[in-house]
Amino acid sequence: MTMTAPAPPAAAPKARKRILTGDRPTGERHVGHYVGTLANRVRLQDEYDTFLLVADHHMMTTRLTGLEEIEHNIRATVLGNLAVGIDPERTTIYLQSQVPEVAEIFLYFAMMVTVPRAQRIPTLKEQMRDLRIAHPSYGLLGYPILQAADILCVKGDLVPVGQDQRSHIELTREIARDFNDRFGPVFPVPEPLIPELGMLPGTDGGTKMGNSIGNVIDLFDDAKTVERKVMGMYTDPNRIRATDPGKVEGNPVFVYHDFFNPDRAEVEDLKERYRTGRVGDVEVKKRLAVALNAFLDPIRERRDALLRDPRIVEEVIATGTARARAEAQRTLREMRAAMKLDYFGA
Ligand code: ATP
Ligand code: MG
């Protein structure tokens, strides 16, 4: 007689992979941030266990003035993320400076990385050049090591970054492997997740929209401001009259249309007429302002709804930081035990 074997116990659900992503609180979130990170982040939170770091300590790597602005910028950063659809139930939003364990983890990692290795990060030279820093501080040199502490304190598996940050993630991977080899297996070796998202030019035609450049359209600009900024946008500099054939490729107004105007037929029609000198800049821009405002309306509405609770940002940060801190404390305990530093009850 055959017996029916008892059903095997249901397999434990596979833990979702963890993503660590972050923002330096540089100010308002703008439509460039949306294109480069926010939209992707909103998609990823469905699939992954997402941690979103607000990296206020990182602000000090390049600037020790204007620190009084950081608090405002933290609020703007968090509110921008919430307004585009980051859900604090699914995404743990936390403040770097309120997880002091990160600083201790950074200290241990700093002992493992040689000075020439830290100097070999290409973004260091770029930042020094762009910001006219003659001699990097010890903190700026250590910026990618602090980033490794950010990622590894919550044991991130995946890190969505731009191509320019690949070298930072490579250093994080080296640190994770090095730690595991020296002391025992504590860390996953995280992978970069590098989507091809493109760069949104500034309203001034510069290659990158950026707060520090002042060529931005903020996610929270009101409709009139958006219209004014769009009407002042840079287009094809060689085109003088509406009857001149114009250049569409690389023309910021059309780059924006491609990103933000869902009416593809309208965009193709405008491009065709622009190329053949049958539409003026004013019409192209007016239609862009309409499309951008339609895109921004739900974001502005969500912000207004969120702000009905005036303490929303503080609450989101407090909850997320408590969660992230518990993770960092556990990681640090594991590290100390692996390193045989768990003396006196540590
Ligand atoms: P800013 O450069 O505006 O002063 P920021 O320092 O917050 O502000 P970055 O640190 O340069 O901005 O970028 C933060 C993230 O947003 C990065 O992943 C970057 O790729 C993305 N990002 C910023 N600006 C743009 C843009 N104009 N187009 C696409 N992605 C962008
Ligand atoms: Mg920047």
Side-chain angles (χ1 to χ4, degrees), residues 336 340-346:
R336 287 211 202 102
K340 311 285 182 251
L341 296 178
D342 52 346
Y343 31 64
F344 299 120

Side-chain angles (χ1 to χ4, degrees), residues 331-342:
T331 302
L332 186 53
R333 268 198 306 276
E334 289 172 19
M335 286 175 72
R336 287 211 202 102
M339 297 170 87
K340 311 285 182 251
L341 296 178
D342 52 346

Side-chain angles (χ1 to χ4, degrees), residues 14-21 41 43-52 88-92 154-158 160 323 327 330:
K14 189 177 172 326
R16 291 191 305 164
K17 285 207 170 184
R18 182 166 289 178
I19 279 193
L20 185 281
T21 163
R41 190 177 283 174
R43 279 192 297 274
L44 291 171
Q45 71 177 349
D46 292 334
E47 197 178 334
Y48 297 100
D49 177 22
T50 304
F51 277 67
L52 169 54
E89 298 289 327
R90 279 178 291 169
T91 295
T92 301
V154 296
K155 299 192 179 178
D157 300 298
L158 292 165
R323 223 184 283 160
E327 296 282 326
R330 190 169 55 198

Side-chain angles (χ1 to χ4, degrees), residues 34 39 86 93 96 107 115 126 140 142 159 162 168 216 226 238 258 260 280 300 332:
Y34 185 85
I86 292 295
I93 302 178
Q96 185 181 35
L107 181 146
V115 171
E126 283 161 26
L140 179 57
V159 191
H168 295 197
V216 306
V226 171
N238 297 318
D258 282 337
F260 298 107
R300 293 185 284 230
L332 186 53

Side-chain angles (χ1 to χ4, degrees), residues 24 26 30 33 127 208-213:
R24 298 198 320 150
T26 52
H30 51 65
H33 291 130
Q127 264 192 327
K208 181 175 181 280
M209 174 177 289
N211 277 332
S212 39
I213 313 165

